[in-house]
Amino acid sequence: MIAFYYKCEKKIPQMNKKFLNNSITYVIAGLLLIGAFYLFLGRSFESSEEKDLGHLVRISKSAEGTAYPVNIEVNGDKLTYSKNGEVFKATKEPGTSVYEIMSASDIDPSSYSVVVKNGGSIGTIFSILIGLLPFILMFGFLFFIMKQAQGSGNSAMNFGKSKAKMFVGSKANVTFFDVAGLPEAKEELEEVVEFLKFPDRFTSIGAKIPSGVLLVGPPGTGKTLIARAVAGEAGVPFFSISGSEFVEMFVGVGASRVRDLFSQAKRHSPCIIFVDEIDAVGRHRGAGLGGGHDEREQTLNQILVEMDGFDTNNNVIVVAATNRPDILDPALLRPGRFDRRITIDNPDVNGRTEILSVHAKGKPIDKKVDMSAIAKQTPGFSGADLANLINESALLTARRNSKKITLADLTEAIDRVSMGPARKSKVISENERELVAYHEAGHAVVSHFMPEGKNVGKITIVSRGHAGGFTRYEQEDQSLMTKIELEAMIASMMGGREAEFITHKGVLTTGASNDFEQATKIAREMVMRYGMISDLPQRTYGKKQQAIFLGREQNEEQDYSEETAIKIDKEISKLLDEGKNNANKILKKHKKELELLAEALLKYETLDADQFRDLMEGNPLNIEVPKKAETKVKDKEKKENPKTKKGFPEPQSS
C-alpha cells in the first residue's frame, strides 16, 4: 500500500500539486473562520443560564409530588439541569456530591434524577485542544502564506536553499561538436575541460586553473550553449542558475542561496557552476537609489567571498554570462575571481555558414542551396537569429505543402526575420505604389553608380512591417569603414527622396523620414566620433553620461564650446547636402536606368541581385509575373494628384 502511494505521488502532475497546495490553503482559511465563529458567536446560541445552587434547590422542591422531576447532569464540578425545557448551569463545591446537597436541603430523591458524565483527563485535554484550535489554525495559515510567497512547491524552511538545476551524466549531452562559429571561444575553454578531466596534470607543476570564466557577448550568440558544451565535454556535474534567482523579497535569502550552491558544488567537485545573466546581482555596489547596503549587494558580497576567500573552491569552476560587462563590479572582475574573459560576438560569414549547416541537419534542404550564399546575406545575425531563420524557412515550406526547403524559402525567411512578414493585402493606391517604386529605385541606382557604394542584394516594393518597401545590400563583414564608403551610404539614403523629387516634379512625401534619420546619424558620427572633418581638431565631441543603476544612456555632456557646436552643426549639414547633391547628379545622369528599374518593380514587385545587375547592364529580364490577387489597388485614385495625398508609407533602406 505504501509503495502504491509513492508511485501515485510520483505520477501527480506539477499542476495538480499546485492545485493541492492551494486547496489546503483554502481549507485552512475556512477552518480558521469556523474557529473564530465558534469563539465569538458560538456562545450567543446557547440558551443555558448560570445560576447558584439555591436556584437548583428551589426548583427541586417545586418538583416534589409532580411527574416531572429535575434532570441533573454532573460533569466534574459543573452542573447542568433543566425544567420545563429551560436549561440552567451551576457550579458546586469541589469534593461534594449532588446527593449531599439535596439531602442537606431535605429534597425528596423522587423529585430529581442525577446523571454523572466522565469528566476525566480526556475531557480536559479535549477542552484544552478546543480552546487552542483557533491559534493552531492561525499558525498553520501563516505557514502556508509564507510557503506561497516563496513560490509554489517550495517549503518555508527552504528559503535559503539554492534553486540551481544540476545536470549529470547523459543529461548534459551538448559537446563542442554542437557549437559552431566560435573557434576562439572553444580553444579558450578546452583548457578548462582538460583541467576538469585531468587535474593532476596541472597541479603537479604548480599551475592553477582560472577560478572563473566570464562569457561576454550580445544576446543569442551562444553563451549558454558553449557553457553546457564545456560540462558535456568534461563529463562533470553542471549547476545552472540565473542571477535573478538569488534575490528574493526576504533579506539574507540571496546570500544563503549562494552558500548553499557552493556547498553543493564542493560535494560534487570537480564540477561547473554556470550563472546566466550575472549582471542581475553583479552590478556596481553603491549604485542603488537608496544607498549601498541592500539585499542584492549582500548576495554579491557572498559570491565574492565564495569565489576567492579564505576557503577556496578546489575543482569548482564558475562560468558566468552577461551582455552588460560595463556595469559589473570591479571586485568581481579582478584576478582570482573572473580572471578570464571570453568575448563571444556575432559570427562572421564563415561562422554563419557553420551555424546554418548545424541547424540545417535533419531538414530537407534542397541540394542547390548554398549555405555560404545565405550567410553573405545575413550580416549581423546572431546564432539565435540563424536558428530562427532555418525554422521559419521550414514553416514556409510546410505552409505550401512542399517536401524541400528551397533558396526562395530561405530568402523569404531572411526578410521575415529582419523585417517581418509581407503585408500583401495592404490597400495602397496606384500613385503611392509608383512613388514607393521610384523611392526604392533611387536608393539602388545611387548605391550602384556611387564610388565605393554597396552592391544591391534585393529590392522590393512589397510592404513589410512599417516599411512600404526596402532595399537590402550585400554587406561584407568589416570592422573598419572609410570616409568614402560612409559618404556613399549617405548619398544612397538621400537617393530615395531625390528620385521622388525628380520623377514627380517636386513632390515631397513622408517616406524618407527613416532615411534622414540614418543619414544624420552617420554624419554626426563622422564629425563627432570618427574625426573625419579637416576643419575641426581630431578629437571626440560630447561625453556620454550613463547611470549604472538604470543601465541606460541618459544624456550627453557638451564638453565643447558653443562656437565649436556651431561648427559641428555646419559640418553635419554640409555632409548631408553633399550626399543629396551627389544623389541628384547620379539620378539625373542615369534617369533611364531609374525609370527602367521603377517599371520593373511595378511589374514584378521584387528583384534579386542578379536581376538588378542585368537591368543596369541593359539585359532583358525573364521573370514570371506574380498574381495580381495579392495586391489591392484603388483604381479611382490612379490619376489623383499626389500633392493632396497624406499618410504615405515609409519605405526604409536596410
Side-chain angles (χ1 to χ4, degrees):
M1 186 69 182
I2 297 175
F4 176 75
Y5 170 76
Y6 283 110
K7 288 182 180 179
C8 294
E9 188 181 24
K10 292 180 180 179
K11 294 180 179 180
I12 297 177
Q14 189 70 22
M15 185 177 69
N16 293 340
K17 291 183 178 179
K18 293 182 179 180
F19 177 76
L20 180 62
N21 292 336
N22 294 332
S23 300
I24 294 175
T25 304
Y26 297 145
V27 170
I28 294 292
L31 293 177
L32 181 62
L33 293 176
I34 293 173
F37 180 81
Y38 170 79
L39 283 180
F40 298 104
L41 301 178
R43 295 183 180 181
S44 63
F45 292 95
E46 296 179 356
S47 61
S48 60
E49 183 180 358
E50 187 76 21
K51 299 289 185 179
D52 56 8
L53 292 177
H55 183 266
L56 174 62
V57 171
R58 289 192 298 272
I59 289 180
S60 301
K61 283 186 177 182
S62 63
E64 292 180 354
T66 65
Y68 302 99
V70 178
N71 299 318
I72 304 174
E73 293 183 359
V74 181
N75 188 357
D77 296 330
K78 302 294 183 181
L79 305 179
T80 303
Y81 55 98
S82 60
K83 184 182 180 183
N84 299 329
E86 295 185 63
V87 180
F88 306 96
K89 288 185 177 182
T91 304
K92 65 181 182 65
E93 295 181 359
T96 62
S97 66
V98 176
Y99 295 103
E100 293 176 351
I101 297 172
M102 294 300 183
S103 297
S105 301
D106 296 329
I107 304 299
D108 188 2
S110 63
S111 63
Y112 64 92
S113 63
V114 180
V115 177
V116 180
K117 291 188 174 181
N118 188 8
S121 58
I122 297 177
T124 304
I125 294 173
F126 182 75
S127 300
I128 295 173
L129 291 177
I130 292 296
L132 295 177
L133 179 61
F135 300 98
I136 297 174
L137 294 176
M138 184 177 297
F139 282 110
F141 182 72
L142 292 176
F143 177 83
F144 279 98
I145 288 294
M146 294 175 65
K147 181 178 179 180
Q148 294 297 321
Q150 180 64 14
S152 179
N154 294 327
S155 173
M157 300 301 178
N158 294 331
F159 284 165
K161 298 295 184 180
S162 172
K163 293 185 176 182
K165 300 177 182 178
M166 186 176 72
F167 301 89
V168 184
S170 60
K171 292 185 178 180
N173 53 4
V174 180
T175 63
F176 284 152
F177 182 77
D178 302 309
V179 180
L182 303 173
E184 293 81 8
K186 288 195 288 187
E187 184 179 354
E188 290 288 332
L189 292 172
E190 282 177 356
E191 186 175 326
V192 177
V193 174
E194 289 294 321
F195 174 80
L196 292 172
K197 285 184 175 180
F198 314 104
D200 296 337
R201 183 186 302 175
F202 296 85
T203 57
S204 62
I205 60 175
K208 182 181 178 182
I209 199 68
S211 58
V213 179
L214 183 63
L215 305 177
V216 179
T221 52
K223 299 184 293 294
T224 304
L225 180 64
I226 199 169
R228 287 184 177 271
V230 172
E233 290 283 346
V236 298
F238 181 81
F239 293 87
S240 178
I241 191 172
S242 175
S244 60
E245 296 184 61
F246 286 113
V247 182
E248 289 280 357
M249 62 183 290
F250 303 105
V251 177
V253 173
S256 178
R257 288 179 176 175
V258 171
R259 289 191 295 270
D260 183 71
L261 173 61
F262 279 87
S263 177
Q264 293 183 44
K266 291 176 184 178
R267 293 195 299 267
H268 295 85
S269 64
C271 66
I272 295 175
I273 297 176
F274 176 66
V275 184
D276 199 8
E277 306 296 342
I278 195 173
D279 52 275
V281 293
R283 296 192 176 201
H284 282 274
R285 288 170 290 183
L289 299 177
H293 197 68
D294 60 359
E295 170 63 9
R296 180 186 58 78
E297 293 192 2
Q298 292 185 36
T299 305
L300 175 59
N301 291 335
Q302 189 63 44
I303 294 176
L304 298 177
V305 172
E306 294 290 346
M307 291 189 67
D308 189 22
F310 286 103
D311 185 16
T312 57
N313 302 300
N314 296 324
N315 298 338
V316 177
I317 297 177
V318 182
V319 181
T322 180
N323 51 23
R324 294 299 308 276
D326 55 313
I327 64 174
L328 295 180
D329 194 274
L332 197 62
L333 302 176
R334 74 160 176 82
R337 291 182 177 126
F338 287 108
D339 39 15
R340 179 169 295 186
R341 180 185 297 189
I342 300 175
T343 301
I344 302 178
D345 207 347
N346 289 326
D348 56 11
V349 61
N350 295 328
R352 293 196 298 273
T353 303
E354 295 178 4
I355 294 173
L356 288 171
S357 301
V358 169
H359 292 292
K361 292 180 179 179
K363 295 180 174 61
I365 305 294
D366 193 351
K367 295 181 179 180
K368 298 180 181 180
V369 175
D370 185 10
M371 287 300 176
S372 61
I374 302 297
K376 292 180 180 179
Q377 301 183 44
T378 54
F381 275 45
S382 65
D385 293 331
L386 296 173
N388 188 29
L389 188 153
I390 296 295
N391 185 63
E392 285 289 340
S393 63
L395 294 176
L396 291 172
T397 303
R399 185 180 300 176
R400 59 183 181 87
N401 296 323
S402 180
K403 302 297 183 182
K404 292 288 185 179
I405 301 176
T406 63
L407 179 62
D409 296 326
L410 291 167
T411 305
E412 173 66 17
I414 295 174
D415 297 336
R416 291 177 66 89
V417 171
S418 57
M419 300 288 296
R423 301 169 61 191
K424 295 184 178 181
S425 61
K426 182 180 180 180
V427 179
I428 182 174
S429 68
E430 185 66 27
N431 187 59
E432 292 181 5
R433 188 167 178 265
E434 182 178 330
L435 282 168
V436 172
Y438 277 100
H439 184 102
E440 299 303 329
H443 288 312
V445 171
V446 173
S447 181
H448 180 76
F449 291 102
M450 189 74 182
E452 300 297 331
K454 296 180 179 179
N455 296 326
V456 176
K458 182 178 181 179
I459 179 173
T460 180
I461 60 172
V462 177
S463 178
R464 291 182 182 270
H466 296 289
F470 67 92
T471 301
R472 189 173 69 236
Y473 303 99
E474 293 181 348
Q475 302 181 13
E476 297 181 357
D477 296 308
Q478 58 183 129
S479 55
L480 298 176
M481 297 190 70
T482 64
K483 182 181 179 181
I484 299 176
E485 290 176 335
L486 294 174
E487 290 175 344
M489 291 177 62
I490 295 175
S492 63
M493 293 173 185
M494 294 295 186
R497 165 61 64 86
E498 291 303 307
E500 296 178 12
F501 188 84
I502 293 173
T503 57
H504 288 72
K505 300 180 180 180
V507 172
L508 300 178
T509 70
T510 60
S513 60
N514 185 259
D515 301 328
F516 293 155
E517 181 180 352
Q518 296 183 30
T520 304
K521 181 180 179 181
I522 295 174
R524 182 181 293 111
E525 296 293 322
M526 291 175 64
V527 176
M528 303 181 65
R529 298 285 180 266
Y530 305 149
M532 294 182 174
I533 305 301
S534 58
D535 294 339
L536 291 174
Q538 304 293 305
R539 50 161 291 191
T540 59
Y541 298 90
K543 182 179 180 181
K544 294 182 179 179
Q545 295 181 346
Q546 191 172 15
I548 297 174
F549 180 75
L550 301 175
R552 295 287 185 182
E553 294 180 0
Q554 298 302 305
N555 53 13
E556 185 173 273
E557 179 183 353
Q558 182 173 323
D559 57 352
Y560 46 89
S561 64
E562 292 296 329
E563 182 181 356
T564 304
I566 295 174
K567 292 182 179 180
I568 292 174
D569 289 339
K570 288 183 178 180
E571 294 296 335
I572 294 175
S573 300
K574 183 179 178 182
L575 288 172
L576 295 175
D577 290 338
E578 290 178 354
K580 174 185 176 183
N581 295 332
N582 291 331
N584 189 278
K585 291 178 182 178
I586 292 175
L587 292 175
K588 287 182 177 180
K589 182 179 179 180
H590 302 278
K591 189 176 181 180
K592 179 181 177 181
E593 288 85 352
L594 175 66
E595 293 178 349
L596 287 174
L597 180 57
E599 292 175 0
L601 289 173
L602 291 172
K603 183 178 181 180
Y604 304 114
E605 293 187 342
T606 302
L607 299 177
D608 59 22
D610 295 333
Q611 294 165 352
F612 171 77
R613 197 176 298 108
D614 290 339
L615 192 64
M616 293 297 100
E617 294 175 356
N619 300 324
L621 297 178
N622 296 321
I623 308 174
E624 295 182 2
V625 180
K627 296 181 180 180
K628 285 293 189 180
E630 296 178 345
T631 303
K632 299 180 181 180
V633 179
K634 298 179 183 179
D635 293 330
K636 65 178 182 179
E637 298 178 354
K638 190 173 183 180
K639 298 182 180 180
E640 192 174 312
N641 189 351
K643 292 184 179 181
T644 62
K645 296 295 294 176
K646 298 181 179 180
F648 292 116
E650 298 184 10
Q652 303 177 9
S653 59
S654 54

